[in-house]
Amino acid sequence: MLAAVYKSSKKADTYLFIEKRDDFSKVPDPLMATFGTPIFVIIVDLAKRKKLGTADLSNVKQKLIEDGFYLQLPPPQENLLDELKRQNGVKSD
């Protein structure tokens, strides 16, 4: 199972996996507007992978089959102030 991977020109660390290179026909227009101009990264053979960076490989495959695309968002940013408070034993509000 091959997937073409694109990074977003508008959103940092956001990637779009599609079934065929440059075929965005299954990606909703509002998503494409938010994603911006796709920047091609790589074609990946998902069948030969055991792991796929931060994305869950089985979820990527399932979404590609069901929806024709998979959107990988960056992990949520941690609140550094809350982390510092926790390390120093201060309760957060």
Side-chain angles (χ1 to χ4, degrees):
M1 171 182 245
L2 296 177
V5 182
Y6 295 81
K7 69 178 180 176
S8 172
S9 60
K10 289 185 175 181
K11 304 283 184 180
D13 300 323
T14 302
Y15 295 89
L16 182 64
F17 293 68
I18 57 175
E19 299 171 297
K20 296 178 184 173
R21 185 174 181 170
D22 297 333
D23 181 4
F24 299 96
S25 60
K26 294 183 180 178
V27 182
D29 290 336
L31 173 57
M32 288 304 299
T34 303
F35 191 79
T37 303
I39 301 166
F40 178 74
V41 177
I42 193 170
I43 292 183
V44 175
D45 187 350
L46 299 176
K48 294 183 178 180
R49 294 278 184 143
K50 292 183 181 180
K51 195 174 178 185
L52 190 63
T54 61
D56 178 83
L57 183 59
S58 61
N59 192 28
V60 173
K61 289 179 182 179
Q62 181 180 353
K63 290 292 187 182
L64 282 170
I65 292 167
E66 292 175 1
D67 302 333
F69 70 95
Y70 172 80
L71 181 65
Q72 179 181 323
L73 298 172
Q77 290 184 339
E78 61 184 275
N79 185 319
L80 297 178
L81 179 58
D82 287 344
E83 176 65 23
L84 181 63
K85 286 179 179 179
R86 187 173 54 80
Q87 288 176 358
N88 291 318
V90 177
K91 292 184 180 182
S92 294
D93 297 334

